[in-house]
């Protein structure tokens, strides 16, 4: 399986990249980022691209991939609605539309977040914008598209968040992770489980197109078998079947 990865320098993307490089079924990974990851691996190829509003300069390198793992994203804290929408919706859709044209046989996986608002009409800004992004992705003519909505993600294997505040938070939370996991298993996952689940879904599909935190864990742990969901026009119907998620931004 050949994979394109966006957001590989971030916390989620680093975790997903690690699992891809370890998995014998992943033949190669192409990262696209504003900077390189700094990692060296025989399976890893990197494109440093500065303008995420236009990928036309690199389209020649984007064909022939089986899946795209889209882990690029930001917290809306301190951002205007316009800026958050530019990063969350505009960049994601520009990349996805480019890939859908080049490789309609590709499976597209988007890391969204628990509490995402599929109605696009709720009061919580980040949840509305993520919902709009998910809905637009589900309408693109990919072989399949899956929206992953993790809640709290514990970084594993020394992976760090890019955000200073989050780094401090994760350092405090790390020793308590086994407690959260025991008390709130539906609301916690790890970079490892998320990465494993994404690889499995890219390979085998998943029972629905919008996957909540516990779905991610079940697939990542091999507790539910992956099987393709229904056709594209039915994708939006499983949006909003939430696991009691809140609108707290992940
Ligand atoms: N962390 C969590 O616990 C958690 C939980 C649920 C969902 N999520 C979601 O997962 C996604 C990734 O989160 P994360 O924690 O990995 O974030 P992160 O550590 O801040 O990483 C963000 C990634 O996005 C890239 N990026 C940000 N703005 C960009 C821009 N304007 N142009 C190009 N690239 C840009 C960054 O690249 P640079 O290196 O170039 O800045 C980096 O690779 C987000 O959508 C987030 O909402 C995270």
């Amino acid at each position: 399986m050949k994979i394109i990865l966006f957001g590989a320098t971030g916390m989620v993307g680093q975790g997903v990249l690690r699992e891809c490089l370890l998995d014998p079924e992943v033949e190669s990974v192409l990262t696209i980022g504003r900077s390189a990851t700094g990692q060296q691996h025989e399976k890893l190829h990197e494109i440093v691209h500065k303008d995420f509003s236009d990928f036309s300069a690199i389209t020649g390198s984007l064909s022939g991939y089986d899946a795209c793992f889209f882990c690029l994203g930001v917290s809306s804290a301190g951002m205007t609605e316009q800026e958050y929408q530019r990063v969350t919706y505009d960049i994601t859709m520009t990349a996805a539309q480019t890939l859908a044209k080049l490789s309609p046989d590709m499976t597209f996986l988007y890391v969204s977040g628990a509490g995402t608002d599929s109605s696009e009409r709720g009061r919580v800004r980040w949840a509305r914008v993520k919902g709009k992004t998910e809905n637009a992705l589900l309408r693109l003519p990919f072989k399949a598209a899956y929206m992953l909505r993790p809640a709290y993600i514990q970084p594993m294997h020394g992976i760090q968040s890019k955000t200073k505040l989050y780094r401090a938070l994760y350092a405090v939370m790390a020793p308590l992770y086994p407690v959260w996991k025991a008390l709130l298993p539906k609301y916690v996952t790890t970079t490892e489980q998320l990465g494993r689940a994404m690889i499995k879904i890219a390979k085998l599909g998943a029972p629905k197109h919008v996957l909540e935190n516990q779905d991610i864990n079940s697939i990542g742990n091999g507790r539910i078998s992956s099987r393709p969901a229904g056709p594209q026009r039915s994708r939006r119907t499983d949006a909003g079947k939430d696991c009691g998620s809140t609108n707290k931004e992940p």
Side-chain angles (χ1 to χ4, degrees):
M1 198 162 47
K2 293 172 84 174
I3 289 166
I4 293 183
L5 174 60
F6 283 84
T9 52
M11 187 193 98
V12 172
Q14 288 174 63
V16 173
L17 176 60
R18 178 184 185 274
E19 298 312 313
C20 287
L21 296 179
L22 286 172
D23 193 315
E25 303 228 29
V26 176
E27 184 188 328
S28 68
V29 185
L30 174 69
T31 66
I32 299 167
R34 294 187 291 194
S35 58
T37 61
Q39 294 195 43
Q40 303 289 325
H41 194 285
E42 58 190 356
K43 293 203 276 190
L44 177 64
H45 309 278
E46 306 209 64
I47 294 180
V48 174
H49 183 69
K50 296 295 176 191
D51 182 4
F52 275 60
S53 67
D54 181 5
F55 295 100
S56 54
I58 59 168
T59 49
S61 308
L62 303 180
S63 299
Y65 286 84
D66 302 295
C68 173
F69 293 170
F70 202 90
C71 305
L72 184 162
V74 285
S75 162
S76 67
M79 292 182 105
T80 63
E81 174 143 15
Q82 199 184 16
E83 178 61 4
Y84 182 64
Q85 164 123 345
R86 188 188 72 75
V87 178
T88 305
Y89 182 84
D90 297 354
I91 289 182
T92 307
M93 293 312 297
T94 303
Q97 281 159 351
T98 304
L99 293 173
K101 266 192 215 140
L102 290 170
S103 306
D105 281 342
M106 169 182 269
T107 298
F108 193 93
L109 286 88
Y110 176 59
V111 178
S112 173
T116 289
D117 175 6
S118 301
S119 79
E120 305 178 29
R121 286 192 298 270
R123 289 191 325 176
V124 182
R125 183 184 69 175
W126 75 263
R128 268 196 325 265
V129 177
K130 289 256 196 200
K132 180 179 163 187
T133 309
E134 283 191 351
N135 291 340
L137 289 171
L138 289 168
R139 288 192 290 266
L140 289 180
F142 286 113
K143 176 180 153 196
Y146 296 96
M147 308 296 117
L148 288 91
R149 295 180 173 182
Y152 174 82
I153 305 172
Q154 182 62 44
M156 308 291 278
H157 311 292
I159 287 166
Q160 297 234 323
S161 171
K162 295 206 76 174
T163 312
K164 203 173 167 186
L165 177 68
Y166 287 2
R167 278 202 297 279
L169 178 73
Y170 286 121
V172 173
M173 296 291 277
L176 297 172
Y177 175 68
V179 180
W180 299 127
K181 193 178 156 196
L183 292 177
L184 302 164
K186 284 184 178 177
Y187 303 105
V188 295
T189 189
T190 65
T191 47
E192 187 178 309
Q193 280 174 314
L194 180 57
R196 285 186 184 171
M198 290 178 85
I199 294 168
K200 209 177 255 185
I201 295 164
K203 199 174 140 217
L204 301 169
K208 45 190 179 167
H209 290 285
V210 178
L211 298 151
E212 299 294 345
N213 193 88
Q214 76 263 40
D215 302 318
I216 295 166
N217 286 343
S218 299
I219 294 171
N221 295 335
R223 281 201 304 273
I224 60 172
S225 62
S226 292
R227 63 178 170 78
Q232 183 171 344
R233 65 179 169 278
S234 69
R235 284 179 189 165
R236 287 192 63 176
T237 58
D238 52 26
K241 281 186 187 167
D242 283 357
C243 56
S245 50
T246 66
N247 277 126
K248 198 164 177 302
E249 185 168 13

